[in-house]
Amino acid sequence: MPTASLRSRGYLPVATASLVPAAVLDCELYIQRPGRPYAELYRGASYPFEDADLDRLRSDGVDHLYVRSEDAEAYRGYLCQHVLHDRSIPQQTRMRALREVTRVTFQDALDANDCGQMVGVATAFGDDLAAMVSEQSIAFRELFSTLEHDYYTFTHVCNVSMYCVVLAHRLGICAADALPELATGALLHDIGKRHIPQHVLNKPGKLTDDEWELVREHPASGFRELSGRADLSWPQLMMVYQHHERLDGSGYPAGIVGDEMHLWARLCAVVDVFDALTCHRPYRRPVPVSEVCEYLNKYAGLWFDAEAVTCWTSHVGKLG
């Protein structure tokens, strides 16, 4: 039974590589045995692991356990204290752990229709992600392999956030202390899509004119929802509002031109398209990375920021 099925039943994957010997997790751990569609209790709360326990899991090929989704905050606290900033733990492992724990809390905020909670989750994610990227540059190949490549809402915004931070860091256009802000804005960039019916977002065929108008409204609706908040900056709001704008004025919602498009929004536009095309969709297979890079390069300077495209494609183009 795939991990996705357990997620739908209220379980959060926990990478075994993120478990630290003698550190207390403060929540019960579960395991899914081969061929079984359910998770069973593996380790009680407040019972620390030993090195031998972790070695046994690795030798058995168990790369993740589970916690209940209601224990997501306990797991986040454990990650913050023992994992996210521990450089002895591989950066890819820490990024996966951050993604999984944020997925649950972000979905809870979406389900509750709580905008303030969404911003809070995004801010915490941005702080942790920026700290990891700043401490150690991650190769684009490693980043791509770390991420999931389906087009579910959280997967996409998480990927775009990670891509934005790495691209900005590589270009040197964003001070280290501004990276958390950038990451948060990117995680929120598609918040307006939650007002679009799922049957429209995932429609396999061509959209009707009315459906297309619904889709085109999401940057403006997200901006309106967030614009009155004192805890978000203008650059973050522009990522939400302008990520579908194009330098020649052919984008939406406002059809702005050139430098009217904020730099952070220009970065977001490049990686947003990259992730959208390289992800699995319900109605098509992912486009090969090489073809997506060709597409971005074709419209560099016309639709997309040329410097951002050159930097991005020069690295990800090596993925094939």
Side-chain angles (χ1 to χ4, degrees):
M1 185 70 64
T3 298
S5 296
L6 287 182
R7 283 198 191 115
S8 68
R9 297 178 187 182
Y11 291 92
L12 169 68
V14 173
T16 53
S18 73
L19 298 173
V20 179
V24 174
L25 193 58
D26 279 335
C27 54
E28 295 176 333
L29 285 166
Y30 295 81
I31 189 170
Q32 185 179 32
R33 304 290 184 184
R36 297 182 183 178
Y38 55 86
E40 60 186 67
L41 183 65
Y42 178 77
R43 183 64 61 94
S46 303
Y47 192 87
F49 273 83
E50 302 296 336
D51 286 315
D53 298 318
L54 296 175
D55 289 341
R56 190 176 305 111
L57 286 171
R58 296 187 191 104
S59 65
D60 290 342
V62 179
D63 60 4
H64 61 272
L65 298 170
Y66 298 89
V67 298
R68 298 291 302 181
S69 58
E70 57 263 31
D71 289 325
E73 280 306 308
Y75 181 48
R76 170 175 282 282
Y78 161 83
L79 288 178
C80 292
Q81 184 176 358
H82 299 288
V83 178
L84 295 182
H85 308 298
D86 184 349
R87 297 193 187 190
S88 68
I89 297 173
Q91 192 177 36
Q92 288 171 277
T93 297
R94 289 182 285 152
M95 282 190 166
R96 288 192 184 101
L98 175 61
R99 180 191 67 216
E100 293 301 340
V101 74
T102 304
R103 181 198 305 274
V104 174
T105 52
F106 197 74
Q107 188 60 54
D108 285 347
L110 285 173
D111 294 342
N113 198 27
D114 188 329
C115 185
Q117 186 181 346
M118 289 178 223
V119 173
V121 171
T123 301
F125 174 87
D127 289 342
D128 292 332
L129 173 62
M132 277 189 274
V133 171
S134 295
E135 76 183 26
Q136 177 185 348
S137 180
I138 185 170
F140 284 81
R141 179 180 297 275
E142 293 176 355
L143 178 63
F144 192 79
S145 66
T146 295
L147 304 181
E148 295 176 337
H149 300 287
D150 58 62
Y151 202 69
Y152 295 110
T153 300
F154 178 76
T155 304
H156 173 64
V157 297
C158 179
N159 290 0
V160 167
S161 183
M162 289 185 171
Y163 287 153
C164 272
V165 171
V166 171
L167 178 57
H169 189 252
R170 191 63 58 92
L171 284 169
I173 59 174
C174 190
D177 60 0
L179 286 177
E181 184 182 330
L182 175 76
T184 301
L187 196 71
L188 295 170
H189 82 277
D190 264 346
I191 195 170
K193 278 189 175 178
R194 64 197 182 92
H195 303 297
I196 303 173
Q198 285 298 310
H199 74 270
V200 174
L201 283 177
N202 297 322
K203 185 175 179 178
K206 184 178 180 180
L207 297 178
T208 66
D209 290 344
D210 288 342
E211 289 169 339
W212 180 234
E213 283 305 310
L214 280 176
V215 172
R216 287 169 62 94
E217 287 175 6
H218 81 268
S221 62
F223 173 77
R224 284 194 299 270
E225 185 172 18
L226 297 176
S227 60
R229 299 191 62 87
D231 51 358
L232 293 175
S233 67
W234 186 251
Q236 290 173 315
L237 293 174
M238 289 301 95
M239 296 178 84
V240 175
Y241 187 62
Q242 296 182 340
H243 66 276
H244 280 294
E245 297 287 0
R246 298 296 179 253
L247 298 178
D248 66 351
S250 63
Y252 62 88
I256 61 175
V257 178
D259 289 342
E260 293 177 356
M261 190 174 180
H262 194 279
L263 177 58
W264 286 15
R266 281 182 263 159
L267 297 184
C268 191
V270 171
V271 298
D272 179 59
V273 168
F274 176 83
D275 189 65
L277 292 177
T278 55
C279 279
H280 293 271
R281 296 291 192 103
Y283 49 87
R284 67 152 174 81
R285 294 183 177 183
V287 179
V289 170
S290 59
E291 292 182 22
V292 178
C293 287
E294 288 177 9
Y295 174 81
L296 291 171
N297 283 318
K298 178 181 178 180
Y299 292 104
L302 179 65
W303 291 354
F304 306 112
D305 183 276
E307 185 179 9
V309 168
T310 298
C311 179
W312 187 252
T313 59
S314 67
H315 290 283
V316 302
K318 300 171 185 176
L319 297 172

